[in-house]
mmCIF file of all heavy atoms in Angstrom:
data_model
loop_
_atom_site.group_PDB
_atom_site.id
_atom_site.type_symbol
_atom_site.label_atom_id
_atom_site.label_comp_id
_atom_site.label_asym_id
_atom_site.label_seq_id
_atom_site.Cartn_x
_atom_site.Cartn_y
_atom_site.Cartn_z
ATOM 1 N N MET A 49 -55.558 -218.565 -95.482
ATOM 2 C CA MET A 49 -55.681 -219.985 -95.676
ATOM 3 C C MET A 49 -54.469 -220.703 -96.170
ATOM 4 O O MET A 49 -53.775 -220.153 -97.078
ATOM 5 C CB MET A 49 -56.774 -220.234 -96.683
ATOM 6 C CG MET A 49 -57.352 -221.708 -96.686
ATOM 7 S SD MET A 49 -58.640 -221.971 -97.936
ATOM 8 C CE MET A 49 -57.538 -222.084 -99.406
ATOM 9 N N VAL A 62 -58.628 -230.968 -101.026
ATOM 10 C CA VAL A 62 -59.130 -230.261 -102.192
ATOM 11 C C VAL A 62 -58.202 -229.103 -102.407
ATOM 12 O O VAL A 62 -57.737 -228.480 -101.482
ATOM 13 C CB VAL A 62 -60.580 -229.793 -101.933
ATOM 14 C CG1 VAL A 62 -61.093 -228.957 -103.215
ATOM 15 C CG2 VAL A 62 -61.562 -230.907 -101.636
ATOM 16 N N ARG A 63 -57.972 -228.712 -103.661
ATOM 17 C CA ARG A 63 -57.056 -227.690 -104.010
ATOM 18 C C ARG A 63 -57.416 -226.329 -103.452
ATOM 19 O O ARG A 63 -58.641 -226.078 -103.085
ATOM 20 C CB ARG A 63 -56.841 -227.561 -105.456
ATOM 21 C CG ARG A 63 -58.068 -227.081 -106.312
ATOM 22 C CD ARG A 63 -57.954 -227.204 -107.787
ATOM 23 N NE ARG A 63 -59.158 -226.810 -108.423
ATOM 24 C CZ ARG A 63 -59.371 -225.589 -108.814
ATOM 25 N NH1 ARG A 63 -58.497 -224.601 -108.725
ATOM 26 N NH2 ARG A 63 -60.586 -225.236 -109.378
ATOM 27 N N LYS A 64 -56.469 -225.400 -103.315
ATOM 28 C CA LYS A 64 -56.733 -224.155 -102.463
ATOM 29 C C LYS A 64 -57.752 -223.303 -103.073
ATOM 30 O O LYS A 64 -58.521 -222.746 -102.331
ATOM 31 C CB LYS A 64 -55.384 -223.471 -102.320
ATOM 32 C CG LYS A 64 -54.667 -223.020 -103.629
ATOM 33 C CD LYS A 64 -53.272 -222.534 -103.285
ATOM 34 C CE LYS A 64 -52.497 -222.141 -104.488
ATOM 35 N NZ LYS A 64 -51.135 -221.747 -104.237
ATOM 36 N N HIS A 65 -57.751 -223.067 -104.358
ATOM 37 C CA HIS A 65 -58.741 -222.092 -104.925
ATOM 38 C C HIS A 65 -60.216 -222.607 -104.734
ATOM 39 O O HIS A 65 -61.083 -221.822 -104.515
ATOM 40 C CB HIS A 65 -58.488 -221.847 -106.351
ATOM 41 C CG HIS A 65 -57.280 -220.915 -106.632
ATOM 42 N ND1 HIS A 65 -56.005 -221.376 -106.725
ATOM 43 C CD2 HIS A 65 -57.275 -219.582 -106.732
ATOM 44 C CE1 HIS A 65 -55.245 -220.325 -106.928
ATOM 45 N NE2 HIS A 65 -55.954 -219.200 -107.037
ATOM 46 N N ALA A 66 -60.375 -223.918 -104.689
ATOM 47 C CA ALA A 66 -61.682 -224.451 -104.530
ATOM 48 C C ALA A 66 -62.097 -224.352 -103.058
ATOM 49 O O ALA A 66 -63.274 -223.991 -102.739
ATOM 50 C CB ALA A 66 -61.687 -225.937 -104.919
ATOM 51 N N ARG A 67 -61.200 -224.501 -102.150
ATOM 52 C CA ARG A 67 -61.525 -224.369 -100.703
ATOM 53 C C ARG A 67 -61.768 -222.885 -100.404
ATOM 54 O O ARG A 67 -62.677 -222.568 -99.577
ATOM 55 C CB ARG A 67 -60.304 -224.942 -99.842
ATOM 56 C CG ARG A 67 -60.212 -226.380 -99.983
ATOM 57 C CD ARG A 67 -59.196 -227.122 -99.161
ATOM 58 N NE ARG A 67 -58.272 -226.327 -98.355
ATOM 59 C CZ ARG A 67 -57.085 -226.022 -98.683
ATOM 60 N NH1 ARG A 67 -56.490 -226.293 -99.872
ATOM 61 N NH2 ARG A 67 -56.269 -225.337 -97.831
ATOM 62 N N ALA A 68 -61.055 -222.036 -101.054
ATOM 63 C CA ALA A 68 -61.244 -220.616 -100.814
ATOM 64 C C ALA A 68 -62.619 -220.176 -101.300
ATOM 65 O O ALA A 68 -63.254 -219.344 -100.736
ATOM 66 C CB ALA A 68 -60.095 -219.741 -101.496
ATOM 67 N N GLU A 69 -62.980 -220.674 -102.470
ATOM 68 C CA GLU A 69 -64.319 -220.327 -103.009
ATOM 69 C C GLU A 69 -65.383 -220.794 -102.078
ATOM 70 O O GLU A 69 -66.368 -220.065 -101.796
ATOM 71 C CB GLU A 69 -64.495 -221.026 -104.411
ATOM 72 C CG GLU A 69 -65.874 -220.809 -104.948
ATOM 73 C CD GLU A 69 -66.135 -221.573 -106.261
ATOM 74 O OE1 GLU A 69 -65.192 -222.060 -106.846
ATOM 75 O OE2 GLU A 69 -67.289 -221.708 -106.683
ATOM 76 N N ALA A 70 -65.278 -222.043 -101.560
ATOM 77 C CA ALA A 70 -66.236 -222.528 -100.624
ATOM 78 C C ALA A 70 -66.303 -221.663 -99.342
ATOM 79 O O ALA A 70 -67.400 -221.383 -98.879
ATOM 80 C CB ALA A 70 -65.923 -223.965 -100.203
ATOM 81 N N ALA A 71 -65.156 -221.170 -98.923
ATOM 82 C CA ALA A 71 -65.181 -220.277 -97.718
ATOM 83 C C ALA A 71 -65.939 -218.935 -97.995
ATOM 84 O O ALA A 71 -66.724 -218.566 -97.132
ATOM 85 C CB ALA A 71 -63.717 -219.917 -97.390
ATOM 86 N N VAL A 72 -65.700 -218.362 -99.156
ATOM 87 C CA VAL A 72 -66.462 -217.128 -99.481
ATOM 88 C C VAL A 72 -67.940 -217.346 -99.677
ATOM 89 O O VAL A 72 -68.745 -216.528 -99.262
ATOM 90 C CB VAL A 72 -65.767 -216.475 -100.700
ATOM 91 C CG1 VAL A 72 -66.592 -215.284 -101.263
ATOM 92 C CG2 VAL A 72 -64.347 -215.988 -100.296
ATOM 93 N N ARG A 73 -68.279 -218.432 -100.286
ATOM 94 C CA ARG A 73 -69.651 -218.764 -100.452
ATOM 95 C C ARG A 73 -70.331 -219.100 -99.145
ATOM 96 O O ARG A 73 -71.557 -219.239 -99.084
ATOM 97 C CB ARG A 73 -69.865 -219.911 -101.476
ATOM 98 C CG ARG A 73 -69.439 -219.464 -102.901
ATOM 99 C CD ARG A 73 -69.895 -220.575 -103.935
ATOM 100 N NE ARG A 73 -69.462 -220.205 -105.231
ATOM 101 C CZ ARG A 73 -70.058 -219.377 -106.063
ATOM 102 N NH1 ARG A 73 -71.165 -218.811 -105.698
ATOM 103 N NH2 ARG A 73 -69.612 -219.106 -107.227
ATOM 104 N N SER A 74 -69.558 -219.392 -98.088
ATOM 105 C CA SER A 74 -70.114 -219.730 -96.822
ATOM 106 C C SER A 74 -70.064 -218.736 -95.775
ATOM 107 O O SER A 74 -70.418 -218.972 -94.617
ATOM 108 C CB SER A 74 -69.375 -221.014 -96.257
ATOM 109 O OG SER A 74 -69.473 -222.108 -97.125
ATOM 110 N N MET A 76 -67.380 -216.082 -95.583
ATOM 111 C CA MET A 76 -66.134 -215.197 -95.488
ATOM 112 C C MET A 76 -66.172 -214.230 -96.629
ATOM 113 O O MET A 76 -66.761 -214.464 -97.654
ATOM 114 C CB MET A 76 -64.943 -216.146 -95.543
ATOM 115 C CG MET A 76 -63.610 -215.634 -95.164
ATOM 116 S SD MET A 76 -62.375 -216.825 -94.713
ATOM 117 C CE MET A 76 -62.906 -217.256 -93.027
ATOM 118 N N ASP A 77 -65.421 -213.095 -96.480
ATOM 119 C CA ASP A 77 -65.455 -212.045 -97.496
ATOM 120 C C ASP A 77 -64.235 -212.100 -98.338
ATOM 121 O O ASP A 77 -64.354 -211.818 -99.554
ATOM 122 C CB ASP A 77 -65.622 -210.691 -96.822
ATOM 123 C CG ASP A 77 -66.873 -210.601 -96.065
ATOM 124 O OD1 ASP A 77 -67.967 -210.720 -96.729
ATOM 125 O OD2 ASP A 77 -66.850 -210.379 -94.824
ATOM 126 N N LEU A 78 -63.065 -212.412 -97.874
ATOM 127 C CA LEU A 78 -61.830 -212.421 -98.579
ATOM 128 C C LEU A 78 -60.927 -213.490 -98.088
ATOM 129 O O LEU A 78 -60.816 -213.670 -96.903
ATOM 130 C CB LEU A 78 -61.203 -210.962 -98.394
ATOM 131 C CG LEU A 78 -59.786 -210.814 -98.975
ATOM 132 C CD1 LEU A 78 -59.858 -210.832 -100.489
ATOM 133 C CD2 LEU A 78 -59.230 -209.458 -98.539
ATOM 134 N N VAL A 79 -60.309 -214.195 -98.989
ATOM 135 C CA VAL A 79 -59.350 -215.245 -98.586
ATOM 136 C C VAL A 79 -57.986 -214.914 -99.189
ATOM 137 O O VAL A 79 -57.840 -214.804 -100.441
ATOM 138 C CB VAL A 79 -59.788 -216.638 -99.042
ATOM 139 C CG1 VAL A 79 -58.731 -217.678 -98.646
ATOM 140 C CG2 VAL A 79 -61.142 -217.003 -98.416
ATOM 141 N N LEU A 80 -56.968 -214.778 -98.332
ATOM 142 C CA LEU A 80 -55.561 -214.616 -98.714
ATOM 143 C C LEU A 80 -54.808 -215.916 -98.391
ATOM 144 O O LEU A 80 -55.170 -216.580 -97.449
ATOM 145 C CB LEU A 80 -54.986 -213.427 -98.017
ATOM 146 C CG LEU A 80 -55.673 -212.073 -98.080
ATOM 147 C CD1 LEU A 80 -55.050 -210.995 -97.202
ATOM 148 C CD2 LEU A 80 -55.687 -211.578 -99.583
ATOM 149 N N GLU A 81 -53.771 -216.115 -99.135
ATOM 150 C CA GLU A 81 -53.013 -217.343 -98.956
ATOM 151 C C GLU A 81 -51.997 -217.233 -97.885
ATOM 152 O O GLU A 81 -51.233 -216.214 -97.846
ATOM 153 C CB GLU A 81 -52.382 -217.740 -100.257
ATOM 154 C CG GLU A 81 -51.611 -219.143 -100.102
ATOM 155 C CD GLU A 81 -51.184 -219.686 -101.465
ATOM 156 O OE1 GLU A 81 -51.231 -218.921 -102.537
ATOM 157 O OE2 GLU A 81 -50.722 -220.847 -101.536
ATOM 158 N N ALA A 237 -72.020 -225.033 -99.663
ATOM 159 C CA ALA A 237 -71.064 -224.575 -100.653
ATOM 160 C C ALA A 237 -69.832 -225.481 -100.808
ATOM 161 O O ALA A 237 -69.377 -225.742 -101.889
ATOM 162 C CB ALA A 237 -70.642 -223.148 -100.356
ATOM 163 N N VAL A 241 -68.727 -227.546 -104.118
ATOM 164 C CA VAL A 241 -67.449 -227.330 -104.676
ATOM 165 C C VAL A 241 -66.701 -228.681 -104.739
ATOM 166 O O VAL A 241 -66.035 -228.966 -105.727
ATOM 167 C CB VAL A 241 -66.606 -226.283 -103.879
ATOM 168 C CG1 VAL A 241 -65.171 -226.300 -104.236
ATOM 169 C CG2 VAL A 241 -67.176 -224.911 -104.111
ATOM 170 N N ARG A 244 -67.898 -230.735 -107.664
ATOM 171 C CA ARG A 244 -67.359 -230.268 -108.964
ATOM 172 C C ARG A 244 -65.937 -230.657 -109.126
ATOM 173 O O ARG A 244 -65.573 -231.076 -110.228
ATOM 174 C CB ARG A 244 -67.492 -228.646 -108.943
ATOM 175 C CG ARG A 244 -67.139 -228.063 -110.245
ATOM 176 C CD ARG A 244 -67.048 -226.571 -110.059
ATOM 177 N NE ARG A 244 -65.861 -226.247 -109.192
ATOM 178 C CZ ARG A 244 -65.760 -225.098 -108.505
ATOM 179 N NH1 ARG A 244 -66.813 -224.226 -108.520
ATOM 180 N NH2 ARG A 244 -64.668 -224.837 -107.825
ATOM 181 N N GLU A 245 -65.114 -230.581 -108.067
ATOM 182 C CA GLU A 245 -63.749 -230.890 -108.083
ATOM 183 C C GLU A 245 -63.604 -232.442 -108.371
ATOM 184 O O GLU A 245 -62.690 -232.901 -109.163
ATOM 185 C CB GLU A 245 -62.990 -230.531 -106.889
ATOM 186 C CG GLU A 245 -62.904 -229.092 -106.665
ATOM 187 C CD GLU A 245 -62.074 -228.418 -107.751
ATOM 188 O OE1 GLU A 245 -60.898 -228.782 -107.925
ATOM 189 O OE2 GLU A 245 -62.525 -227.574 -108.472
ATOM 190 N N ARG A 250 -60.206 -233.949 -109.769
ATOM 191 C CA ARG A 250 -59.193 -233.293 -108.909
ATOM 192 C C ARG A 250 -59.377 -233.517 -107.417
ATOM 193 O O ARG A 250 -58.702 -232.961 -106.618
ATOM 194 C CB ARG A 250 -59.231 -231.767 -109.180
ATOM 195 C CG ARG A 250 -58.877 -231.371 -110.572
ATOM 196 C CD ARG A 250 -58.665 -229.883 -110.685
ATOM 197 N NE ARG A 250 -59.938 -229.142 -110.463
ATOM 198 C CZ ARG A 250 -60.633 -228.677 -111.497
ATOM 199 N NH1 ARG A 250 -60.201 -228.690 -112.792
ATOM 200 N NH2 ARG A 250 -61.798 -228.000 -111.262
ATOM 201 N N ARG A 339 -51.304 -212.785 -101.399
ATOM 202 C CA ARG A 339 -51.819 -213.446 -102.529
ATOM 203 C C ARG A 339 -53.375 -213.654 -102.403
ATOM 204 O O ARG A 339 -53.772 -214.266 -101.371
ATOM 205 C CB ARG A 339 -51.222 -214.821 -102.766
ATOM 206 C CG ARG A 339 -51.816 -215.680 -103.844
ATOM 207 C CD ARG A 339 -51.262 -215.376 -105.229
ATOM 208 N NE ARG A 339 -51.854 -216.140 -106.233
ATOM 209 C CZ ARG A 339 -51.571 -217.419 -106.602
ATOM 210 N NH1 ARG A 339 -50.682 -218.118 -105.898
ATOM 211 N NH2 ARG A 339 -52.163 -217.989 -107.612
ATOM 212 N N VAL A 340 -54.179 -213.165 -103.263
ATOM 213 C CA VAL A 340 -55.599 -213.206 -103.168
ATOM 214 C C VAL A 340 -56.087 -214.530 -103.740
ATOM 215 O O VAL A 340 -55.744 -214.888 -104.937
ATOM 216 C CB VAL A 340 -56.307 -212.034 -103.889
ATOM 217 C CG1 VAL A 340 -57.842 -212.111 -103.728
ATOM 218 C CG2 VAL A 340 -55.793 -210.717 -103.360
ATOM 219 N N LEU A 341 -56.895 -215.307 -103.038
ATOM 220 C CA LEU A 341 -57.453 -216.528 -103.519
ATOM 221 C C LEU A 341 -58.971 -216.428 -103.908
ATOM 222 O O LEU A 341 -59.357 -217.067 -104.854
ATOM 223 C CB LEU A 341 -57.271 -217.713 -102.502
ATOM 224 C CG LEU A 341 -55.780 -218.048 -102.235
ATOM 225 C CD1 LEU A 341 -55.798 -219.199 -101.204
ATOM 226 C CD2 LEU A 341 -55.039 -218.517 -103.441
ATOM 227 N N ALA A 342 -59.681 -215.721 -103.128
ATOM 228 C CA ALA A 342 -61.100 -215.584 -103.466
ATOM 229 C C ALA A 342 -61.686 -214.373 -102.708
ATOM 230 O O ALA A 342 -61.114 -213.901 -101.648
ATOM 231 C CB ALA A 342 -61.830 -216.808 -102.962
ATOM 232 N N ALA A 343 -62.743 -213.809 -103.265
ATOM 233 C CA ALA A 343 -63.341 -212.626 -102.666
ATOM 234 C C ALA A 343 -64.830 -212.488 -103.111
ATOM 235 O O ALA A 343 -65.193 -212.903 -104.212
ATOM 236 C CB ALA A 343 -62.575 -211.325 -103.057
ATOM 237 N N ASN A 344 -65.610 -211.866 -102.311
ATOM 238 C CA ASN A 344 -66.974 -211.451 -102.658
ATOM 239 C C ASN A 344 -66.942 -209.869 -102.820
ATOM 240 O O ASN A 344 -65.932 -209.276 -102.853
ATOM 241 C CB ASN A 344 -68.058 -211.971 -101.697
ATOM 242 C CG ASN A 344 -67.836 -211.435 -100.291
ATOM 243 O OD1 ASN A 344 -67.089 -210.488 -100.029
ATOM 244 N ND2 ASN A 344 -68.501 -211.995 -99.334
ATOM 245 N N GLY A 345 -68.192 -209.287 -102.905
ATOM 246 C CA GLY A 345 -68.217 -207.876 -103.107
ATOM 247 C C GLY A 345 -67.562 -207.117 -101.950
ATOM 248 O O GLY A 345 -66.806 -206.150 -102.145
ATOM 249 N N THR A 346 -67.834 -207.544 -100.732
ATOM 250 C CA THR A 346 -67.189 -206.898 -99.571
ATOM 251 C C THR A 346 -65.696 -207.101 -99.623
ATOM 252 O O THR A 346 -64.946 -206.173 -99.265
ATOM 253 C CB THR A 346 -67.812 -207.476 -98.240
ATOM 254 O OG1 THR A 346 -69.161 -207.226 -98.221
ATOM 255 C CG2 THR A 346 -67.099 -206.861 -97.044
ATOM 256 N N GLY A 347 -65.312 -208.316 -99.989
ATOM 257 C CA GLY A 347 -63.877 -208.607 -100.134
ATOM 258 C C GLY A 347 -63.128 -207.707 -101.122
ATOM 259 O O GLY A 347 -62.049 -207.271 -100.960
ATOM 260 N N ARG A 348 -63.848 -207.401 -102.216
ATOM 261 C CA ARG A 348 -63.280 -206.543 -103.267
ATOM 262 C C ARG A 348 -63.126 -205.099 -102.738
ATOM 263 O O ARG A 348 -62.191 -204.390 -103.013
ATOM 264 C CB ARG A 348 -64.070 -206.583 -104.523
ATOM 265 C CG ARG A 348 -64.120 -207.930 -105.234
ATOM 266 C CD ARG A 348 -65.084 -208.016 -106.382
ATOM 267 N NE ARG A 348 -64.696 -207.152 -107.527
ATOM 268 C CZ ARG A 348 -65.388 -206.964 -108.534
ATOM 269 N NH1 ARG A 348 -66.533 -207.661 -108.713
ATOM 270 N NH2 ARG A 348 -64.899 -206.289 -109.576
ATOM 271 N N ALA A 349 -64.087 -204.667 -101.872
ATOM 272 C CA ALA A 349 -64.021 -203.407 -101.251
ATOM 273 C C ALA A 349 -62.828 -203.344 -100.260
ATOM 274 O O ALA A 349 -62.113 -202.326 -100.196
ATOM 275 C CB ALA A 349 -65.320 -203.028 -100.572
ATOM 276 N N LEU A 351 -60.132 -205.082 -100.575
ATOM 277 C CA LEU A 351 -58.895 -205.032 -101.473
ATOM 278 C C LEU A 351 -58.626 -203.656 -101.921
ATOM 279 O O LEU A 351 -57.429 -203.136 -101.966
ATOM 280 C CB LEU A 351 -59.070 -205.955 -102.631
ATOM 281 C CG LEU A 351 -58.977 -207.472 -102.394
ATOM 282 C CD1 LEU A 351 -59.353 -208.262 -103.659
ATOM 283 C CD2 LEU A 351 -57.508 -207.847 -101.886
ATOM 284 N N LEU A 363 -51.126 -209.361 -104.596
ATOM 285 C CA LEU A 363 -50.951 -210.086 -105.807
ATOM 286 C C LEU A 363 -52.345 -210.694 -106.232
ATOM 287 O O LEU A 363 -52.801 -211.568 -105.498
ATOM 288 C CB LEU A 363 -49.970 -211.227 -105.638
ATOM 289 C CG LEU A 363 -49.389 -211.862 -106.832
ATOM 290 C CD1 LEU A 363 -48.668 -210.879 -107.765
ATOM 291 C CD2 LEU A 363 -48.391 -212.986 -106.460
ATOM 292 N N THR A 364 -52.903 -210.193 -107.313
ATOM 293 C CA THR A 364 -54.196 -210.838 -107.848
ATOM 294 C C THR A 364 -53.917 -211.597 -109.093
ATOM 295 O O THR A 364 -54.305 -212.739 -109.210
ATOM 296 C CB THR A 364 -55.156 -209.672 -108.073
ATOM 297 O OG1 THR A 364 -54.605 -208.682 -108.916
ATOM 298 C CG2 THR A 364 -55.670 -209.079 -106.783
ATOM 299 N N LYS A 365 -53.140 -211.003 -110.006
ATOM 300 C CA LYS A 365 -52.734 -211.774 -111.199
ATOM 301 C C LYS A 365 -51.429 -212.432 -111.012
ATOM 302 O O LYS A 365 -50.495 -211.736 -110.709
ATOM 303 C CB LYS A 365 -52.745 -210.802 -112.444
ATOM 304 C CG LYS A 365 -54.094 -210.168 -112.752
ATOM 305 C CD LYS A 365 -53.885 -209.181 -113.912
ATOM 306 C CE LYS A 365 -55.196 -208.516 -114.254
ATOM 307 N NZ LYS A 365 -55.050 -207.521 -115.359
ATOM 308 N N PRO A 366 -51.287 -213.758 -111.232
ATOM 309 C CA PRO A 366 -50.032 -214.431 -110.982
ATOM 310 C C PRO A 366 -48.813 -213.780 -111.734
ATOM 311 O O PRO A 366 -47.758 -213.620 -111.206
ATOM 312 C CB PRO A 366 -50.247 -215.830 -111.533
ATOM 313 C CG PRO A 366 -51.730 -215.998 -111.285
ATOM 314 C CD PRO A 366 -52.385 -214.688 -111.552
ATOM 315 N N GLY A 404 -50.339 -224.856 -113.175
ATOM 316 C CA GLY A 404 -51.614 -224.284 -112.663
ATOM 317 C C GLY A 404 -51.456 -223.025 -111.823
ATOM 318 O O GLY A 404 -52.344 -222.179 -111.825
ATOM 319 N N GLU A 405 -50.301 -222.904 -111.129
ATOM 320 C CA GLU A 405 -50.128 -221.738 -110.254
ATOM 321 C C GLU A 405 -50.120 -220.457 -111.124
ATOM 322 O O GLU A 405 -50.558 -219.350 -110.651
ATOM 323 C CB GLU A 405 -48.839 -221.867 -109.494
ATOM 324 C CG GLU A 405 -48.750 -220.997 -108.303
ATOM 325 C CD GLU A 405 -49.617 -221.353 -107.140
ATOM 326 O OE1 GLU A 405 -50.280 -222.441 -107.195
ATOM 327 O OE2 GLU A 405 -49.729 -220.645 -106.183
ATOM 328 N N ARG A 407 -51.792 -220.038 -113.910
ATOM 329 C CA ARG A 407 -53.060 -219.847 -114.672
ATOM 330 C C ARG A 407 -54.183 -219.403 -113.709
ATOM 331 O O ARG A 407 -55.121 -218.734 -114.170
ATOM 332 C CB ARG A 407 -53.441 -221.128 -115.340
ATOM 333 C CG ARG A 407 -52.558 -221.556 -116.509
ATOM 334 C CD ARG A 407 -53.263 -222.678 -117.259
ATOM 335 N NE ARG A 407 -53.517 -223.844 -116.453
ATOM 336 C CZ ARG A 407 -52.717 -224.845 -116.207
ATOM 337 N NH1 ARG A 407 -51.449 -224.837 -116.863
ATOM 338 N NH2 ARG A 407 -52.913 -225.868 -115.515
ATOM 339 N N ASP A 408 -54.148 -219.827 -112.482
ATOM 340 C CA ASP A 408 -55.274 -219.672 -111.604
ATOM 341 C C ASP A 408 -55.284 -218.306 -110.806
ATOM 342 O O ASP A 408 -54.451 -218.102 -110.001
ATOM 343 C CB ASP A 408 -55.409 -220.855 -110.588
ATOM 344 C CG ASP A 408 -55.662 -222.122 -111.227
ATOM 345 O OD1 ASP A 408 -56.268 -222.102 -112.302
ATOM 346 O OD2 ASP A 408 -55.310 -223.182 -110.624
ATOM 347 N N GLY A 409 -56.250 -217.426 -111.251
ATOM 348 C CA GLY A 409 -56.383 -216.195 -110.526
ATOM 349 C C GLY A 409 -57.438 -216.351 -109.441
ATOM 350 O O GLY A 409 -58.021 -217.435 -109.168
ATOM 351 N N PRO A 410 -57.748 -215.256 -108.732
ATOM 352 C CA PRO A 410 -58.730 -215.277 -107.620
ATOM 353 C C PRO A 410 -60.103 -215.732 -108.084
ATOM 354 O O PRO A 410 -60.518 -215.390 -109.238
ATOM 355 C CB PRO A 410 -58.705 -213.892 -107.067
ATOM 356 C CG PRO A 410 -57.509 -213.237 -107.612
ATOM 357 C CD PRO A 410 -57.226 -213.892 -108.869
ATOM 358 N N VAL A 411 -60.841 -216.385 -107.292
ATOM 359 C CA VAL A 411 -62.255 -216.686 -107.528
ATOM 360 C C VAL A 411 -63.109 -215.502 -106.984
ATOM 361 O O VAL A 411 -63.037 -215.198 -105.822
ATOM 362 C CB VAL A 411 -62.705 -218.015 -106.830
ATOM 363 C CG1 VAL A 411 -64.190 -218.288 -107.105
ATOM 364 C CG2 VAL A 411 -61.830 -219.156 -107.245
ATOM 365 N N ILE A 412 -63.840 -214.901 -107.856
ATOM 366 C CA ILE A 412 -64.662 -213.783 -107.487
ATOM 367 C C ILE A 412 -66.120 -214.245 -107.428
ATOM 368 O O ILE A 412 -66.660 -214.653 -108.475
ATOM 369 C CB ILE A 412 -64.528 -212.554 -108.462
ATOM 370 C CG1 ILE A 412 -63.049 -212.155 -108.532
ATOM 371 C CG2 ILE A 412 -65.396 -211.417 -107.972
ATOM 372 C CD1 ILE A 412 -62.361 -211.740 -107.281
ATOM 373 N N VAL A 413 -66.716 -214.160 -106.304
ATOM 374 C CA VAL A 413 -68.108 -214.659 -106.058
ATOM 375 C C VAL A 413 -69.054 -213.414 -106.073
ATOM 376 O O VAL A 413 -68.868 -212.443 -105.417
ATOM 377 C CB VAL A 413 -68.219 -215.360 -104.752
ATOM 378 C CG1 VAL A 413 -69.610 -215.813 -104.453
ATOM 379 C CG2 VAL A 413 -67.256 -216.578 -104.779
#
Side-chain angles (χ1 to χ4, degrees):
M49 195 184 78
V62 179
R63 65 189 179 93
K64 60 189 177 185
H65 283 87
R67 296 183 354 261
E69 177 186 345
V72 170
R73 292 189 183 279
S74 300
M76 195 161 280
D77 297 302
L78 175 66
V79 179
L80 305 175
E81 183 170 12
V241 165
R244 186 191 67 206
E245 292 297 300
R250 296 189 294 257
R339 174 85 184 280
V340 182
L341 295 180
N344 61 14
T346 299
R348 293 173 71 181
L351 287 171
L363 196 60
T364 50
K365 298 178 181 178
E405 197 72 7
R407 294 190 300 270
D408 293 337
V411 179
I412 303 300
V413 174

